[in-house]
Amino acid sequence: MTDISLNEAQEVLQAAHEAALEAQTNMNIAVVDAGGNLKAFTRMDGAWLGSIDIAVKKARTARYFDMPTGDLGALSQPGEPLFNIEVSNGGLITFPGGIPLLKDGAVIGAIGVSGSTVEDDHSVASAGAAAL
């Protein structure tokens, strides 16, 4: 299994941090490795404490299912095939802000961002993912 290196995780984190600064929002940003283990994390000054766990769970959710958390959210609504999946795996987050990280076509980890609107969370996570 290919895994994200510490240098790569820090590059992803830095790109997301810069995007959060540009958006003028305080974020918690988590990067997990290919196994879903926390590899790098930052909590910007003033970021909500409650969003720490959300950022980590968004990253893990994106890695566990190798899809953006917002995409999983669409599949987990009432009447959809994955309804209630968020209660599995110790708790998942199924709204935007988590994105798998790809290198040479392989998932090597994921980023999760929380601390603002889901649109901002997704945008900042996308900026981090684009750093690879």
Side-chain angles (χ1 to χ4, degrees):
M1 170 180 358
T2 305
D3 203 358
I4 191 168
S5 71
L6 179 58
N7 285 339
E8 290 167 329
Q10 289 173 330
E11 289 173 12
V12 168
L13 199 67
Q14 184 60 37
H17 181 251
E18 289 171 8
L21 289 173
E22 288 177 21
Q24 298 181 335
T25 187
N26 300 321
M27 301 282 201
N28 291 286
I29 306 164
V31 176
V32 297
D33 65 16
N37 303 295
L38 188 63
K39 186 80 171 195
F41 178 84
T42 193
R43 177 176 170 260
M44 295 173 68
D45 294 341
W48 294 326
L49 293 174
S51 289
I52 295 169
D53 184 57
I54 295 170
V56 173
K57 284 183 177 172
K58 283 182 181 182
R60 286 188 177 135
T61 300
R63 176 55 189 114
Y64 289 166
F65 296 95
D66 294 340
M67 70 174 69
T69 53
D71 292 356
L72 187 61
L75 298 171
S76 65
Q77 297 303 306
E80 295 301 320
L82 299 179
F83 181 59
N84 278 335
I85 195 171
E86 66 275 1
V87 298
S88 72
N89 294 286
L92 302 174
I93 301 293
T94 59
F95 47 87
I99 300 176
L101 298 173
L102 301 169
K103 182 177 180 183
D104 300 327
V107 178
I108 61 171
I111 182 172
V113 177
S114 183
S116 184
T117 65
V118 292
E119 294 82 9
D120 284 345
D121 292 355
H122 181 73
S123 175
V124 170
S126 295
L132 283 181

